[in-house]
Amino acid sequence: MGRYDDYKRRVLQVSQRLSADGYFGSKSGSAGNVSMLVENEDAVVVTPTRLQYDVMTFDDICVVDFDLARIEGDRKPSIETPMHVAAYKVRADVSAVIHTHQTFASALSILNQPIPPLFDEVTLAIGNTIDVVPYALSGSRELHDNVARKLANRCHCYILQNHGTLCVGTDLDKTFTFVELLEKSAHIYMDALSTGKPITVLPEKTVAQLHAAVIARQDREIARRREPSH
Ligand code: 13P
């Protein structure tokens, strides 16, 4: 078995599930991308560019280094690979990145509307806000730079203005859940906004406590990775 086989299998599985669940905007399309960081190596296992998920196979998944040099695979990696690499570089707690075009979060992306802390189970999972990353063209250096700057808030979900979303996590399963929690929050928030009635958010003190727990979890992951045995 190859060194990257498990990673490739997971990236393919999760990408196809996200596509089948409609998180990439169209179930028959190729939008969005998914990656995992290889443990103890500056290498990324990532979906290829412009290939429909329903025909994607294990051999189509790319492995590249942080400079995008090919390690395994014949296809070109996603054009957003530098955005994924930027996330791995600026966030030592992150080992998986998912970029989607999911519907309700995309609606908020064109309203340039962050999602405030609304539910404690969501805030405990993804942090105190779902912020909007300013618009820049897909695949551009400017987009990657904008994302890198925003990731300093140490949350796990972001809305990309007039584009889609970005979720980051310690592993791919958790990151998949963040995608779901983001869509749940966006859907409920949009519905609530459409009533025109005032919206209540979580109390500030509660948000501070929950966000501190998110940061503590990230710090534990960073410490785990720095252990010599790791
Ligand atoms: P790729 O097909 O290169 O992954 O690009 C899709 C996308 O969503 C760009 O933002």
Side-chain angles (χ1 to χ4, degrees):
M1 199 177 82
R3 169 161 170 62
Y4 306 108
D5 286 6
D6 271 345
Y7 293 95
K8 287 178 168 181
R9 226 169 266 125
R10 293 294 298 131
V11 166
L12 178 66
Q13 212 173 42
V14 167
S15 305
Q16 290 184 322
R17 179 160 174 208
L18 286 160
S19 180
D21 288 352
Y23 286 106
F24 291 139
S26 81
K27 295 185 186 181
S28 58
S30 66
N33 27 75
V34 174
S35 79
M36 287 175 79
L37 178 67
V38 177
E39 276 214 344
N40 300 319
E41 198 179 326
D42 286 350
V44 177
V45 179
V46 62
T47 45
T49 189
R50 303 182 71 170
L51 183 69
Q52 295 98 310
Y53 293 94
D54 53 0
V55 299
M56 198 177 282
T57 69
F58 174 87
D59 292 323
D60 293 319
I61 306 299
C62 310
V63 187
V64 293
D65 70 16
F66 278 7
D67 298 318
L68 267 56
R70 182 163 54 137
I71 298 174
E72 258 185 40
D74 294 330
R75 291 196 175 267
K76 273 179 72 173
S78 165
I79 59 162
E80 303 293 13
T81 306
M83 175 169 78
H84 294 232
V85 170
Y88 296 129
K89 280 185 176 167
V90 300
R91 284 278 296 269
D93 60 300
V94 166
S95 289
V97 175
I98 299 177
H99 163 53
T100 76
H101 292 184
Q102 59 200 68
T103 308
F104 285 96
S106 297
L108 291 169
S109 89
I110 63 172
L111 294 169
N112 196 14
Q113 176 69 57
I115 307 176
L118 301 171
F119 306 106
D120 52 21
E121 110 277 8
V122 175
T123 302
L124 181 60
I126 68 177
N128 59 8
T129 188
I130 300 169
D131 232 336
V132 181
V133 176
Y135 178 78
L137 189 65
S138 299
S140 66
R141 176 69 200 255
E142 194 187 348
L143 177 62
H144 309 150
D145 289 347
N146 292 351
V147 162
R149 264 193 296 277
K150 201 56 98 173
L151 282 160
N153 72 4
R154 301 191 70 175
C155 290
H156 290 279
C157 296
Y158 303 85
I159 292 168
L160 306 181
Q161 188 179 14
N162 288 77
H163 184 168
T165 76
L166 188 76
C167 292
V168 300
T170 51
D171 66 48
L172 199 52
D173 288 333
K174 287 198 184 82
T175 311
F176 180 89
T177 304
F178 297 157
V179 170
E180 293 184 309
L181 291 176
L182 169 54
E183 194 62 352
K184 168 200 148 155
S185 303
H187 190 162
I188 294 169
Y189 192 43
M190 280 293 293
D191 279 357
L193 284 174
S194 71
T195 67
K197 292 182 180 171
I199 285 166
T200 61
V201 301
L202 295 178
E204 241 175 71
K205 195 171 151 215
T206 306
V207 174
Q209 280 170 348
L210 297 173
H211 193 67
V214 171
I215 303 286
R217 215 171 48 220
Q218 293 171 1
D219 287 343
R220 279 196 299 277
E221 171 65 10
I222 294 166
R224 184 190 73 81
R225 289 200 209 175
R226 288 190 180 141
E227 279 167 16
S229 58
H230 183 252

Coordinates of all heavy atoms in Angstrom, one line a residue, residues 5-58:
D5 N -2.1 6.4 0.3 CA -3.4 5.8 -0.2 C -4.5 6.1 0.8 O -5.6 6.4 0.3 CB -3.2 4.3 -0.3 CG -2.3 3.9 -1.5 OD1 -1.9 4.9 -2.2 OD2 -2.2 2.7 -1.8
D6 N -4.3 6.0 2.1 CA -5.4 6.3 3.0 C -6.0 7.7 2.8 O -7.2 7.9 2.9 CB -5.0 6.1 4.5 CG -5.2 4.7 4.9 OD1 -5.9 3.9 4.2 OD2 -4.6 4.3 5.9
Y7 N -5.0 8.6 2.7 CA -5.4 10.1 2.5 C -6.2 10.2 1.2 O -7.3 10.9 1.2 CB -4.2 10.9 2.4 CG -3.3 11.1 3.6 CD1 -2.2 10.3 3.9 CD2 -3.7 12.0 4.6 CE1 -1.5 10.4 5.0 CE2 -2.9 12.2 5.8 CZ -1.8 11.3 5.9 OH -1.0 11.5 7.1
K8 N -5.8 9.6 0.2 CA -6.5 9.7 -1.1 C -7.9 9.1 -1.0 O -8.8 9.7 -1.5 CB -5.7 8.9 -2.2 CG -4.4 9.6 -2.7 CD -3.8 8.7 -3.7 CE -2.7 9.2 -4.5 NZ -2.2 8.3 -5.5
R9 N -8.0 8.0 -0.4 CA -9.3 7.3 -0.2 C -10.2 8.3 0.6 O -11.4 8.4 0.2 CB -9.1 6.0 0.6 CG -9.9 4.9 -0.1 CD -9.5 3.5 0.5 NE -8.5 2.9 -0.2 CZ -7.3 2.5 0.2 NH1 -7.0 2.6 1.5 NH2 -6.4 1.9 -0.5
R10 N -9.7 8.9 1.6 CA -10.6 9.8 2.5 C -11.0 11.0 1.7 O -12.2 11.4 1.7 CB -9.8 10.2 3.7 CG -9.5 9.1 4.7 CD -10.8 8.5 5.3 NE -11.5 9.5 6.1 CZ -12.8 9.8 6.0 NH1 -13.6 9.1 5.1 NH2 -13.4 10.7 6.7
V11 N -10.0 11.6 1.0 CA -10.4 12.8 0.2 C -11.4 12.5 -0.9 O -12.4 13.3 -1.0 CB -9.1 13.4 -0.4 CG1 -9.4 14.5 -1.5 CG2 -8.2 14.0 0.7
L12 N -11.3 11.4 -1.5 CA -12.2 11.0 -2.6 C -13.6 10.8 -2.0 O -14.6 11.3 -2.5 CB -11.7 9.8 -3.3 CG -12.7 9.2 -4.4 CD1 -12.8 10.2 -5.5 CD2 -12.2 7.9 -4.9
Q13 N -13.6 10.0 -0.9 CA -14.9 9.6 -0.2 C -15.7 10.9 0.2 O -16.8 11.1 -0.1 CB -14.5 8.8 1.0 CG -15.5 7.8 1.5 CD -14.8 7.0 2.6 OE1 -14.1 7.6 3.5 NE2 -14.9 5.7 2.6
V14 N -15.0 11.8 0.9 CA -15.6 13.0 1.5 C -16.0 13.9 0.3 O -17.1 14.5 0.4 CB -14.7 13.7 2.5 CG1 -15.2 15.1 2.9 CG2 -14.6 12.8 3.8
S15 N -15.2 14.1 -0.7 CA -15.6 14.9 -1.8 C -16.8 14.4 -2.5 O -17.7 15.2 -2.8 CB -14.5 14.9 -2.9 OG -13.2 15.3 -2.3
Q16 N -16.9 13.1 -2.7 CA -18.1 12.6 -3.4 C -19.3 12.7 -2.5 O -20.4 12.9 -3.1 CB -17.8 11.1 -3.9 CG -16.8 11.1 -5.0 CD -16.5 9.8 -5.6 OE1 -16.4 8.8 -4.9 NE2 -16.2 9.7 -6.9
R17 N -19.1 12.6 -1.2 CA -20.3 12.7 -0.3 C -20.8 14.2 -0.3 O -22.0 14.5 -0.4 CB -19.9 12.3 1.1 CG -21.1 12.5 2.0 CD -21.0 11.6 3.3 NE -22.1 12.0 4.1 CZ -22.0 11.9 5.4 NH1 -21.0 11.5 6.0 NH2 -23.1 12.3 6.2
L18 N -19.8 15.1 -0.3 CA -20.2 16.6 -0.3 C -20.9 16.9 -1.6 O -21.9 17.6 -1.6 CB -18.9 17.4 -0.2 CG -18.3 17.5 1.2 CD1 -16.8 18.0 1.1 CD2 -19.1 18.5 2.1
S19 N -20.4 16.3 -2.7 CA -21.0 16.6 -4.0 C -22.5 16.0 -4.1 O -23.4 16.7 -4.5 CB -20.2 15.9 -5.1 OG -20.8 16.2 -6.4
A20 N -22.6 14.7 -3.6 CA -23.9 14.1 -3.6 C -24.9 14.8 -2.7 O -26.1 14.8 -3.0 CB -23.8 12.6 -3.2
D21 N -24.4 15.4 -1.6 CA -25.3 16.1 -0.7 C -25.5 17.6 -1.2 O -26.2 18.3 -0.5 CB -24.6 16.2 0.7 CG -24.7 14.8 1.4 OD1 -25.3 13.9 0.9 OD2 -24.0 14.7 2.5
G22 N -24.9 17.9 -2.3 CA -25.2 19.2 -2.9 C -24.4 20.4 -2.4 O -24.7 21.6 -2.8
Y23 N -23.4 20.1 -1.6 CA -22.6 21.2 -1.1 C -21.7 22.0 -2.1 O -21.2 23.0 -1.8 CB -21.7 20.7 0.1 CG -22.5 20.4 1.3 CD1 -22.8 19.1 1.7 CD2 -23.0 21.4 2.1 CE1 -23.5 18.8 2.8 CE2 -23.8 21.2 3.3 CZ -24.0 19.9 3.6 OH -24.8 19.6 4.7
F24 N -21.5 21.3 -3.2 CA -20.7 22.0 -4.2 C -21.5 22.9 -5.2 O -20.9 23.3 -6.2 CB -19.8 21.0 -5.0 CG -18.7 20.4 -4.1 CD1 -18.4 19.0 -4.2 CD2 -18.0 21.2 -3.2 CE1 -17.4 18.5 -3.4 CE2 -17.0 20.6 -2.4 CZ -16.7 19.3 -2.5
G25 N -22.8 23.0 -4.9 CA -23.6 23.8 -5.8 C -24.4 23.1 -6.8 O -25.6 23.2 -7.0
S26 N -23.7 22.2 -7.6 CA -24.4 21.3 -8.5 C -23.8 19.9 -8.3 O -22.6 19.7 -8.2 CB -24.2 21.8 -10.0 OG -22.9 21.3 -10.4
K27 N -24.8 19.0 -8.3 CA -24.3 17.6 -8.0 C -23.6 16.9 -9.2 O -22.9 16.0 -9.0 CB -25.6 16.7 -7.7 CG -26.3 17.2 -6.4 CD -27.4 16.3 -6.0 CE -28.1 16.9 -4.8 NZ -29.2 16.2 -4.3
S28 N -23.7 17.5 -10.4 CA -23.0 16.9 -11.5 C -21.7 17.7 -11.9 O -21.0 17.4 -12.9 CB -23.9 16.9 -12.8 OG -24.3 18.2 -13.0
G29 N -21.4 18.7 -11.1 CA -20.3 19.6 -11.5 C -19.0 19.3 -10.8 O -18.8 18.2 -10.2
S30 N -18.0 20.2 -11.0 CA -16.7 20.0 -10.5 C -16.2 21.1 -9.5 O -15.1 21.2 -9.1 CB -15.7 19.9 -11.6 OG -15.6 21.2 -12.3
A31 N -17.2 22.0 -9.1 CA -16.8 23.1 -8.3 C -16.4 22.6 -6.9 O -16.8 21.5 -6.5 CB -18.0 24.1 -8.1
G32 N -15.7 23.5 -6.1 CA -15.3 23.1 -4.8 C -14.0 22.3 -4.8 O -13.6 21.8 -5.9
N33 N -13.4 22.1 -3.7 CA -12.2 21.3 -3.5 C -12.0 20.9 -2.1 O -12.5 21.5 -1.2 CB -11.0 22.0 -4.1 CG -11.1 23.5 -4.1 OD1 -11.0 24.1 -3.0 ND2 -11.4 24.1 -5.2
V34 N -11.2 19.8 -1.9 CA -11.0 19.2 -0.6 C -9.6 18.8 -0.5 O -9.0 18.3 -1.5 CB -11.9 17.9 -0.4 CG1 -11.6 17.1 0.8 CG2 -13.4 18.2 -0.5
S35 N -9.0 19.0 0.7 CA -7.6 18.5 0.9 C -7.3 18.0 2.3 O -8.1 18.4 3.2 CB -6.6 19.6 0.5 OG -6.5 20.5 1.6
M36 N -6.3 17.2 2.4 CA -5.7 16.8 3.7 C -4.2 17.1 3.8 O -3.6 16.9 2.7 CB -6.0 15.3 4.0 CG -7.4 15.0 4.3 SD -7.5 13.2 4.4 CE -7.0 12.9 6.1
L37 N -3.8 17.5 4.9 CA -2.3 17.6 5.1 C -1.7 16.3 5.5 O -2.3 15.6 6.4 CB -2.1 18.7 6.3 CG -0.7 19.0 6.7 CD1 0.1 19.7 5.5 CD2 -0.6 19.8 7.9
V38 N -0.6 15.9 5.0 CA 0.0 14.6 5.3 C 0.8 14.8 6.6 O 1.5 15.8 6.8 CB 1.0 14.2 4.2 CG1 1.7 12.9 4.6 CG2 0.2 14.0 2.9
E39 N 0.6 13.9 7.6 CA 1.3 14.0 8.9 C 2.8 14.1 8.7 O 3.4 13.3 8.0 CB 0.9 12.9 9.8 CG -0.4 13.1 10.5 CD -0.4 12.4 11.9 OE1 0.5 11.6 12.2 OE2 -1.3 12.8 12.7
N40 N 3.4 15.0 9.4 CA 4.9 15.1 9.5 C 5.5 15.3 8.1 O 6.7 14.9 7.8 CB 5.5 13.8 10.1 CG 5.1 13.6 11.5 OD1 4.9 14.6 12.3 ND2 4.8 12.4 11.8
E41 N 4.8 16.0 7.2 CA 5.4 16.2 5.9 C 4.7 17.4 5.3 O 3.5 17.6 5.5 CB 5.1 15.0 5.0 CG 5.9 14.9 3.7 CD 5.6 13.7 2.9 OE1 5.2 12.6 3.5 OE2 5.6 13.8 1.7
D42 N 5.4 18.3 4.6 CA 4.8 19.4 3.9 C 4.2 19.0 2.6 O 4.7 19.3 1.5 CB 5.9 20.5 3.7 CG 6.2 21.3 5.0 OD1 5.5 21.0 6.0 OD2 7.2 22.0 5.0
A43 N 3.2 18.1 2.7 CA 2.6 17.6 1.5 C 1.1 17.6 1.7 O 0.6 17.5 2.8 CB 3.0 16.2 1.2
V44 N 0.4 17.8 0.6 CA -1.1 18.0 0.6 C -1.7 17.0 -0.4 O -1.3 16.9 -1.5 CB -1.5 19.5 0.2 CG1 -3.0 19.7 0.1 CG2 -0.8 20.5 1.1
V45 N -2.8 16.3 0.1 CA -3.5 15.4 -0.8 C -4.8 16.2 -1.2 O -5.6 16.5 -0.3 CB -3.8 14.1 0.0 CG1 -4.6 13.2 -0.9 CG2 -2.5 13.4 0.4
V46 N -5.0 16.4 -2.4 CA -6.0 17.4 -2.9 C -6.8 16.9 -4.1 O -6.2 16.2 -5.0 CB -5.4 18.8 -3.1 CG1 -4.3 18.7 -4.2 CG2 -6.4 19.9 -3.3
T47 N -8.0 17.3 -4.2 CA -8.8 17.0 -5.4 C -8.2 17.7 -6.7 O -7.6 18.8 -6.6 CB -10.2 17.4 -5.3 OG1 -10.3 18.7 -4.7 CG2 -11.0 16.5 -4.3
P48 N -8.4 17.0 -7.8 CA -7.8 17.6 -9.1 C -8.7 18.8 -9.5 O -9.9 18.9 -9.1 CB -7.9 16.5 -10.1 CG -9.0 15.6 -9.6 CD -9.0 15.7 -8.1
T49 N -8.2 19.6 -10.4 CA -9.0 20.7 -10.9 C -9.9 20.3 -12.0 O -9.7 19.4 -12.8 CB -8.0 21.8 -11.5 OG1 -8.8 23.0 -11.8 CG2 -7.3 21.4 -12.8
R50 N -11.1 20.9 -12.0 CA -12.1 20.7 -13.0 C -12.4 19.3 -13.5 O -12.5 19.0 -14.6 CB -11.7 21.5 -14.3 CG -11.4 23.0 -13.9 CD -11.1 23.8 -15.1 NE -12.2 24.0 -16.0 CZ -12.2 24.8 -17.0 NH1 -11.2 25.5 -17.3 NH2 -13.3 24.9 -17.7
L51 N -12.6 18.5 -12.4 CA -13.1 17.1 -12.7 C -14.4 16.8 -12.0 O -14.4 17.0 -10.7 CB -12.0 16.1 -12.4 CG -12.3 14.6 -12.7 CD1 -12.3 14.4 -14.2 CD2 -11.3 13.7 -12.1
Q52 N -15.4 16.3 -12.6 CA -16.7 16.1 -11.9 C -16.5 15.0 -10.9 O -15.7 14.0 -11.1 CB -17.7 15.6 -12.9 CG -18.1 16.6 -13.9 CD -17.4 16.4 -15.2 OE1 -16.2 16.2 -15.3 NE2 -18.1 16.4 -16.3
Y53 N -17.1 15.2 -9.8 CA -17.0 14.2 -8.6 C -17.5 12.8 -8.9 O -17.0 11.8 -8.4 CB -17.6 14.8 -7.4 CG -16.8 16.0 -6.9 CD1 -17.2 17.3 -7.3 CD2 -15.6 15.9 -6.2 CE1 -16.5 18.4 -6.9 CE2 -14.9 17.0 -5.8 CZ -15.3 18.3 -6.2 OH -14.6 19.4 -5.9
D54 N -18.6 12.8 -9.8 CA -19.2 11.5 -10.0 C -18.3 10.6 -10.9 O -18.6 9.4 -11.0 CB -20.6 11.6 -10.5 CG -20.8 12.5 -11.7 OD1 -19.7 13.0 -12.2 OD2 -21.9 12.7 -12.2
V55 N -17.3 11.1 -11.6 CA -16.4 10.3 -12.3 C -15.0 10.2 -11.7 O -14.1 9.5 -12.2 CB -16.3 10.7 -13.8 CG1 -17.7 10.7 -14.5 CG2 -15.7 12.1 -13.9
M56 N -14.8 10.9 -10.6 CA -13.5 11.0 -10.0 C -13.1 9.6 -9.4 O -14.0 9.0 -8.8 CB -13.5 12.1 -8.9 CG -12.1 12.6 -8.5 SD -12.3 13.9 -7.3 CE -12.7 15.3 -8.3
T57 N -11.9 9.2 -9.6 CA -11.4 8.0 -9.0 C -10.2 8.2 -8.1 O -9.6 9.3 -8.1 CB -11.0 6.9 -10.1 OG1 -9.8 7.4 -10.7 CG2 -12.1 6.7 -11.1
F58 N -9.9 7.2 -7.3 CA -8.7 7.2 -6.4 C -7.4 7.7 -7.1 O -6.7 8.6 -6.6 CB -8.5 5.7 -6.0 CG -7.3 5.5 -5.1 CD1 -7.3 5.7 -3.8 CD2 -6.1 5.1 -5.7 CE1 -6.2 5.5 -3.0 CE2 -4.9 4.9 -5.0 CZ -5.0 5.1 -3.6

